[in-house]
Amino acid sequence: MTEDQVPPASPEQSKPNPASGPFSPVIGSIRLFRRWWRIAVRADVDQQAVIDKVREDSGFTPHFAFMTSMSAGIAILGLLLSSPAVVIGAMLLSPLMGPIMGAGFALAVGDSAWLKESGKAILLGTIISILFAGLVVTLSPLQTVTAEIAARTRPNLFDLLVALFSALAGGYAMIRGRMGTIVGVAIATALMPPLAVVGFGLATFNWAVFGGSLLLFFTNLMTIALTATAMAWLYGFRSYLSERQSQFQIAAMVVVFIALAIPLGLSLRQIAWEANVSRSANGYIKDQFGKRASVSQIEIDFDADPILINATVFTPKILAGAAEQSSRVLSRNLGKPIFVNVEQFKVETGEDANSAELAAAKMREQAQQAEIQVTRLRENLALIAGVSVDDVTLDTSKRRAMVVSKVLTGASLASYYALEQRVAAGAKGWIIRLQPPAIALPELKITDGAVDPASSNDLDLTIWASERIGLPLGISGIAANRAVAREVLKANNISVAQESETAIPGSAVKLRWLAPPESSSSSQ
């Protein structure tokens, strides 16, 4: 056969051999790794036991509903009190991880009934958590955005990564039977606190808080579920899905992660830019005043237009035009309009600047402590009086606090007096006045022309209540006893506007509240 007569190569011979060529070592290594993974890692996994365990924890039950409610209640109280320990306790109690992991495994094996069951538990658990947390906030006198709440309103790309790494650990723990790891995963992903903050935003109509915390919860939810799906695939869990359906799932997962990563990445970029503004402002103002000066405090309002920077500087030399110069330089360097307000305090030396800064810091700390004390005092008075914090009157200059109490079921004047004394004991240096409702006054026993010692406490209560309510009193009893009671009350500046002759057993006189005079009521 001549050279021209060589037969053409068959299709099999014409195909390139993947085992040969420049990539053959890489392809061989991949094949070896897949074989090792299949034999050494996946082979000893009891897939049915794992599926049964995950499925057991992924349904909606009365136990699930109760534990979800309690976890939401504990979480929102910890957030309102800014107590990280209480918030961590709520994370450990939350059962939401179970149905979320169940949804991930159900996606991986293609079990639609299981997926619906897990989805129902997630949806109902989410609604229960939000509504219960919102109810607690509605009933609570504390409704301010604390640092713990604010920390869960600006999710960013780092939160996505935390959820991803935590879900990888959680999926591994589920599959390999290391359930103790789930405790750490529950703390790291923090599913319940964002839901509690959603309830806070709903109850207070704070939609910025509501939206930010809802995005954080949705990020954690989707990341955990989809990562659990990927872990189930890696460990070769049997699937009822066709190859085409599996490919569609993979594409959908990639799309979801990208859709979450974009807004979270933009949020992280904004946070980084704000940190750069703060660093640049602090550095430039320090350089402007020199080493002998001290920048005590910088506050930045990024929501203002233009951005507002307030700085406090202790300096041996007052610089004219420092604020205008800072505004121009920072606006040019950062590319956005910025208005700087510099408050300068003159000191003699650099040591004086440091001393002044320490004194200012101490004053700020004392002011913060005083503000906390005032807030707590207002909340305590509102709580014991059964009113809202807006009904409490505070005069911080004279350190006086007053509240008009509602009628508390079963409470006597002695009860209201005890409540006032309890608040006063915790507010040293304050004058506390709790005005009780005009309820029944105690009788006074008269013996030998004087108030009987056994009625001295009742007399003190009557004087205390009269000073706070300010209504005139009426007296009933025989003339001699009324005269004694009238003189005692008059000596304590209590007006007796009406007397009536009544024979009361035991030589006692009855006291009662009277309506204010017509002239005073009409003038009001």
Side-chain angles (χ1 to χ4, degrees), residues 1-8:
M1 182 179 292
T2 64
E3 185 176 332
D4 295 335
Q5 294 175 325
V6 174

Side-chain angles (χ1 to χ4, degrees), residues 220-378:
N220 291 341
L221 167 65
M222 296 303 297
T223 304
I224 294 170
L226 297 181
T227 305
T229 301
M231 290 293 289
W233 285 341
L234 284 174
Y235 275 88
F237 278 70
R238 290 183 295 274
S239 175
Y240 303 107
L241 300 175
S242 65
E243 183 177 353
R244 182 181 180 85
Q245 289 173 323
S246 297
Q247 291 174 351
F248 176 78
Q249 274 195 355
I250 294 173
M253 288 174 59
V254 172
V255 170
V256 169
F257 272 113
I258 293 175
L260 288 173
I262 290 174
L264 295 175
L266 294 175
S267 176
L268 179 62
R269 181 182 177 186
Q270 176 65 20
I271 292 172
W273 184 83
E274 291 177 3
N276 181 50
V277 171
S278 178
R279 185 170 54 252
S280 299
N282 190 52
Y284 179 77
I285 294 173
K286 277 185 176 179
D287 293 342
Q288 188 180 26
F289 283 89
K291 295 182 179 180
R292 297 178 64 194
S294 175
V295 179
S296 175
Q297 187 177 15
I298 288 185
E299 296 177 349
I300 305 177
D301 184 1
F302 290 99
D303 295 327
D305 187 19
I307 296 171
L308 177 62
I309 300 177
N310 291 312
T312 302
V313 180
F314 295 98
T315 174
K317 183 179 179 181
I318 300 295
L319 294 183
E324 292 77 6
Q325 177 71 10
S326 299
S327 299
R328 285 194 300 271
V329 172
L330 291 174
S331 297
R332 183 174 63 250
N333 292 344
L334 298 172
K336 283 194 176 183
I338 295 176
F339 179 79
V340 181
N341 179 37
V342 180
E343 189 174 7
Q344 303 180 50
F345 294 91
K346 187 174 182 180
V347 293
E348 293 302 324
T349 65
E351 293 182 358
D352 291 339
N354 292 331
S355 300
E357 182 178 1
L358 290 174
K362 187 175 181 180
M363 289 177 62
R364 286 196 302 272
E365 182 180 358
Q366 290 175 346
Q368 290 174 353
Q369 291 176 350
E371 185 176 354
I372 292 173
Q373 183 188 28
V374 167
T375 301
R376 288 179 177 172
L377 176 58
R378 187 187 296 273

Side-chain angles (χ1 to χ4, degrees), residues 377-379 381-382 387-394 401-403:
L377 176 58
R378 187 187 296 273
E379 291 165 353
L381 281 173
V387 299
S388 71
V389 291
D390 295 331
D391 295 324
V392 179
T393 302
L394 291 181
M402 193 192 80
V403 65

Side-chain angles (χ1 to χ4, degrees), residues 69-127:
S69 301
M70 296 304 98
S71 175
I74 294 171
I76 192 60
L77 290 175
L79 293 166
L80 290 172
L81 295 171
S82 276
S83 173
V86 176
V87 176
I88 291 174
M91 299 176 196
L92 296 178
L93 283 179
S94 172
L96 283 173
M97 181 69 74
I100 295 175
M101 296 293 285
F105 275 80
L107 275 173
V109 302
D111 191 330
S112 59
W114 185 10
L115 181 60
K116 290 179 182 177
E117 181 184 0
S118 299
K120 174 185 175 183
I122 294 171
L123 178 61
L124 293 178
T126 300
I127 294 173

Side-chain angles (χ1 to χ4, degrees), residues 404-408 411-413 416 434-442 461-462 464-466 468-473 511-516:
V404 179
S405 177
K406 288 185 176 180
V407 177
L408 306 178
S412 63
L413 283 180
Y416 293 102
L434 170 69
Q435 179 178 320
I439 59 176
L441 290 164
L461 279 176
T462 301
W464 171 81
S466 297
R468 279 146 182 75
I469 297 176
L471 292 176
L473 298 182
L511 305 175
R512 65 186 184 280
W513 300 108
L514 300 177

Side-chain angles (χ1 to χ4, degrees), residues 62-75:
H63 171 78
F64 176 87
F66 176 77
M67 293 303 293
T68 299
S69 301
M70 296 304 98
S71 175
I74 294 171

